[in-house]
Amino acid sequence: MSKGILDDSPKEIAKFIFCTRTLNWKKLRIYLDERRDVLDDLVTLHNFRNQFLPNALREFFRHIHAPEERGEYLETLITKFSHRFCACNPDLMRELGLSPDAVYVLCYSLILLSIDLTSPHVKNKMSKREFIRNTRRAAQNISEDFVGHLYDNIYLIGHVAA
């Protein structure tokens, strides 16, 4: 920006971040936490149309690294992702009866499941049956089959926020 190559506008900075893969992700996380206007524009650059939820979440966290701890910034990221995912898939959201709040709950469940299945510190891994039961308690109106497919994706492909 100091050399005039990049404008100091949220949209331009977001495009730069979106297209640049070699940025220091720890510094970027701090920057995005401070510049929510840039974060907003960065989120809108993602197109999650016709993507399965866990795959879209993985793509999102490839561009915007998840924080290592739970907290307000992680909640902000999941909220922004949930709204963007719904905006990109309005027909699917109507068909499944999902709102951004329900997608938020599913995303949080997927992150927790990812940690549970991949952490060596968790001795008793969550079963598919337990995940379905717990997730459907937190977000009603979601089909058992859909939640089962979410579990299978994490089990077979791996962590959504790695």
Side-chain angles (χ1 to χ4, degrees), residues 24 29 53 59 89 109 119:
N24 179 311
R29 183 184 315 143
L53 181 62
E59 179 184 318
N89 296 288
S109 295
S119 173

Side-chain angles (χ1 to χ4, degrees), residues 144-157:
E144 190 171 317
D145 286 343
F146 180 72
V147 177
H149 291 309
L150 294 174
Y151 181 94
D152 292 342
N153 182 282
I154 302 302
Y155 183 82
L156 295 171
I157 297 175

Side-chain angles (χ1 to χ4, degrees), residues 1-18:
M1 285 183 276
S2 65
K3 302 291 183 191
I5 297 171
L6 183 65
D7 289 339
D8 188 13
S9 77
K11 277 192 183 358
E12 289 300 313
I13 296 168
K15 285 179 191 175
F16 175 77
I17 292 168
F18 188 79

Side-chain angles (χ1 to χ4, degrees), residues 16-17 19-25:
F16 175 77
I17 292 168
C19 295
T20 306
R21 300 282 185 232
T22 58
L23 298 173
N24 179 311
W25 61 269

